[in-house]
Amino acid sequence: MDLKGAQVEVDKWIKEHGVRYFNELTNMAQLTEEVGEVARIIARRYGEQSEKESDKDKDLGEELADVVFVVLCLANQTGIDLQDAFDKKINKKTKRDHDRHHNNDKLK
């Protein structure tokens, strides 16, 4: 499924199960919360913090999917075609960063 399809799927889910979208500020707060959950897993599992027993069963993929879901909600409710925006971003990064990254000694 592409991003456009994912936006349609989220919109369908909201209309069938979620009653309505939370307002944009609520979704922004929810996005921040979900990103924090991803950060907690990364910091403890891959960083220098020790992983608590209660965190060991946390599913990073599920938490990342929570982030994507809220981003899709925000895109839908603000009229953003995320597929178009993503395609433009990839093109911009490709033009801007190709030589920069290949010439970065830190990445060799």
Side-chain angles (χ1 to χ4, degrees), residues 82-99 101:
L82 207 52
Q83 186 67 60
D84 182 58
F86 184 80
D87 292 343
K88 287 177 183 173
K89 180 56 68 175
I90 286 293
N91 287 334
K92 179 180 179 179
K93 290 178 74 58
T94 298
K95 289 175 186 172
R96 181 189 69 201
D97 296 337
H98 177 77
D99 290 335
H101 292 311

Side-chain angles (χ1 to χ4, degrees), residues 69-84:
F69 185 90
V70 179
V71 167
L72 292 168
C73 286
L74 283 164
N76 283 348
Q77 66 193 134
T78 58
I80 302 296
D81 178 336
L82 207 52
Q83 186 67 60
D84 182 58

